[in-house]
Amino acid sequence: MRRTPTQVALVTAAALTLVACGGGDDKDSEAPSAPTGLSVQAGSALSAHVMWEAAKDNVAVSGYVVYRGKDKIKDVPAEKLMIDITGLKPSTAYSFSVRAKDAAGNLSPHSQKKPVTTPAVTPEDKEAPAQPVKLRGKHHGSKGAELTWSAPDKDQGITSYDILQGGSKIHSVSGDATKAEVTGLRPGTDYSFTLQARDAADNTSPASEPLKISTPKGPGDDPDTAPISFKVARHKNAKEGAYYLDLSWLPPKVDGEVPSYEIHLNGSLTTTLVWGNKAPVGRTTESVYAGKKPGVAYKVKIRAKLPDGEWGSFSPELTMVTGEAKP
C-alpha cells in the first residue's frame, strides 16, 4: 500500500520528491477504545476548552471527533488531545464528548459526556486582566510539572488561565485556580512555561514571565529520541534517468505517535514530512529525488517531532553517493 503525505513542506530551493511506502494491510474492523479523562473548562463567555487522554487502537488512532450534545463539531488530528471550541453563547449550558477514529473509518464509543456553562459577559468590557505574577513550579516525576501562581489582588473577572509551553497553549484551568498539573512531558528535557489570564469577554492578559523547568531522567526512561536503525540506500529510475536516495527507519520509542519528520541533506533542513492520516507502523521507507548526475555525495540525517511538540534527537548522519545502481 502506498502512503502519501497530505502535506510536504519544502524549505529550500532544491525540489525533492517524497514517496512513502508500506506493506499491504488487511481490512481493519476493530474500533479504537473510547477516550478517557475528558475535561471541559469555559474559557470565556464565548468559548470552552476541551481536553482528553489518548485512546488506543489495534493499529493506530488517526484522529478524534468532538461532539456538542449529539452534533459533531470538530475533527482533531491524532497528535492533538485538546481543542478550543468557539462561537458559543454567554450564560448557556453545553455538553461535550469525544470519539476516537482510525484510518479504516472505525469510530470508538463516546467518551464520558462533560457539561459546562459559559459565564455571562458585559458587552462593554474591553479591558484585559492584568499580567499574572509569581508563576512558580517544579517537575513532578520525570514526565510532569506542577505550576502555581498568585491570585490577583482584586477581582478582574478572570474566567480561565491558559498555560503555554514554548508559545503554544497546552492546558486551561478555571479562573479561580492558582495551580495546575502538566502531564505528558519527556524525561531529561528543558521546558519554558508562561501563563495568561482570560475574562468572559475573551480579553487576554499579557503572558507572565517565563518559568523554566527541567524534567529529570527517570529509572528506565530511554533518553534517546532519535529515529532507530536509520539506513540509506539508492536506486536509479531507468525511465526517468534519475537517482533516488532510499531512506528507512523505525520510529523512536516514545509515548504516542510521531506526527512528522524532518529530512536534512548536507547539513540543511530540506523537507518536512507530515503524515495526513496515521503514522506508519514499523519500518518506514521514503525515496528522495537526488537528480540525474552520478557521483554526487549526500549526507543525510532525520529527526522526529515527538508527541509533546518538541523535536527529538537526530539520527546518525549517513553518506550516500549517486551512481549506476541497478534500476
Side-chain angles (χ1 to χ4, degrees):
M1 161 179 156
R2 183 176 297 274
R3 303 179 188 274
T4 303
T6 59
Q7 177 185 0
V8 177
L10 300 179
V11 293
T12 68
L16 298 180
T17 301
L18 294 184
V19 180
C21 303
D25 295 331
D26 294 332
K27 181 173 177 55
D28 177 13
S29 60
E30 183 175 337
S33 64
T36 59
L38 183 71
S39 65
V40 182
Q41 170 63 45
S44 70
L46 307 175
S47 66
H49 184 67
V50 183
M51 295 183 64
W52 58 92
E53 295 177 4
K56 296 181 179 180
D57 187 61
N58 62 316
V59 179
V61 172
S62 65
Y64 296 92
V65 184
V66 181
Y67 290 79
R68 186 176 62 219
K70 296 181 179 180
D71 298 327
K72 172 184 171 180
I73 56 172
K74 290 286 184 180
D75 284 297
V76 182
E79 64 269 17
K80 290 189 66 176
L81 299 175
M82 67 180 72
I83 189 170
D84 284 318
I85 306 298
T86 58
L88 304 182
K89 297 180 180 180
S91 304
T92 303
Y94 294 95
S95 177
F96 294 93
S97 64
V98 180
R99 300 174 77 181
K101 62 181 179 180
D102 62 22
N106 301 306
L107 280 170
S108 78
H110 282 268
S111 68
Q112 181 183 9
K113 293 184 178 181
K114 287 287 186 177
V116 67
T117 300
T118 53
V121 62
T122 304
E124 62 271 16
D125 182 9
K126 301 296 183 182
E127 184 176 353
Q131 179 187 46
V133 296
K134 297 182 180 179
L135 178 62
R136 301 173 294 273
K138 60 181 180 180
H139 66 80
H140 181 62
S142 61
K143 297 182 180 181
E146 295 177 345
L147 309 182
T148 62
W149 56 92
S150 298
D153 294 334
K154 60 180 181 179
D155 182 19
Q156 298 184 35
I158 297 172
T159 57
S160 65
Y161 286 99
D162 296 333
I163 298 167
L164 294 83
Q165 187 268 309
S168 299
K169 180 178 175 180
I170 61 169
H171 195 27
S172 184
V173 296
S174 171
D176 57 8
T178 56
K179 63 180 181 180
E181 183 172 345
V182 178
T183 59
L185 304 182
R186 290 205 322 271
T189 304
D190 297 329
Y191 290 94
S192 178
F193 299 99
T194 54
L195 186 71
Q196 288 182 304
R198 199 165 8 150
D199 64 20
D202 233 357
N203 301 308
T204 303
S205 76
S208 69
E209 292 297 320
L211 169 69
K212 297 186 182 299
I213 295 179
S214 298
T215 54
K217 294 178 182 177
D221 288 326
D222 183 1
D224 188 7
T225 56
I228 300 169
S229 187
F230 178 55
K231 298 178 181 179
V232 180
R234 72 186 182 203
H235 78 274
K236 183 179 181 180
N237 185 301
K239 184 177 180 180
E240 297 177 2
Y243 297 98
Y244 286 82
L245 305 180
D246 298 325
L247 318 183
S248 69
W249 66 90
L250 292 169
K253 293 182 178 179
V254 294
D255 294 331
E257 292 186 355
V258 174
S260 61
Y261 291 90
E262 284 185 347
I263 298 175
H264 290 239
L265 295 182
N266 296 333
S268 298
L269 170 63
T270 300
T271 305
T272 300
L273 173 63
V274 181
W275 298 106
N277 42 25
K278 65 177 181 179
V281 177
R283 180 165 288 277
T284 301
T285 302
E286 303 293 335
S287 291
V288 179
Y289 178 76
K292 297 183 178 182
K293 184 178 180 180
V296 179
Y298 288 93
K299 293 182 178 179
V300 190
K301 61 183 179 179
I302 64 172
R303 65 176 179 174
K305 191 169 189 179
L306 305 178
D308 67 357
E310 298 289 328
W311 287 101
S313 302
F314 278 106
S315 68
E317 187 172 60
L318 303 180
T319 300
M320 178 56 61
V321 181
T322 59
E324 294 298 332
K326 183 178 179 180

